[in-house]
Amino acid sequence: MHLDHDPDAPASETIDFDAFLRVDIRVGTIVGAEAYPGARKPSLKLVIDFGAGIGRRKSCAQVASLYDPPALVGRQVAAVVNFPPRQIGKALSEVLTLGFADGEGRVVLFAPDVPVPNGSRLF
């Protein structure tokens, strides 16, 4: 599957609601962030707290071109929490942190506009 970052691209194929529900998207608070110089694209290693049900998970996110690691601590983000872990260079990414490409192709993090409880599920 190829992800198209073109804002003018047509919608993906139609799926049913049950398929959507299988993707578990939760909100969590970043509790740790550091540069990840070993990545192919400018990336940060994040530790995200999803609350008691899921706990803390690691993520390698291609957001280093827009975000300073210390400024991310305390910020809420959305992530897919039920994909299998993925090896990114020497680091293991346990969740997929979600974002959108800006006009220059840099990743802008996706987050609620008001605080919500960690672990809240997107619906």
Side-chain angles (χ1 to χ4, degrees):
M1 173 184 205
H2 172 69
L3 296 177
D4 195 338
H5 301 296
D6 177 2
D8 296 323
S12 296
E13 66 185 70
T14 300
I15 62 171
D16 62 29
F17 191 67
D18 288 337
F20 169 73
L21 290 177
R22 286 194 302 272
V23 180
D24 193 352
I25 300 172
R26 305 285 183 114
V27 69
T29 299
I30 297 173
V31 295
E34 64 183 48
Y36 184 29
R40 285 184 292 207
K41 295 184 180 179
S43 299
L44 300 178
K45 290 195 285 187
L46 306 175
V47 177
I48 306 167
D49 182 0
F50 292 97
I54 296 171
R56 291 183 175 194
R57 301 279 175 94
K58 297 174 187 170
S59 179
C60 298
Q62 296 175 358
V63 297
S65 57
L66 286 180
Y67 299 98
D68 183 43
L72 287 174
V73 174
R75 179 186 173 127
Q76 286 194 304
V77 293
V80 176
V81 298
N82 66 332
F83 284 158
R86 184 171 180 184
Q87 195 72 37
I88 309 291
K90 293 182 179 182
L92 187 65
S93 190
E94 299 172 305
V95 298
L96 175 64
T97 304
L98 300 177
F100 294 96
D102 70 5
E104 297 177 31
R106 299 171 301 186
V107 178
V108 177
L109 291 169
F110 180 64
D113 59 357
V114 296
V116 297
N118 286 339
S120 294
R121 186 170 180 170
L122 180 74
F123 61 90

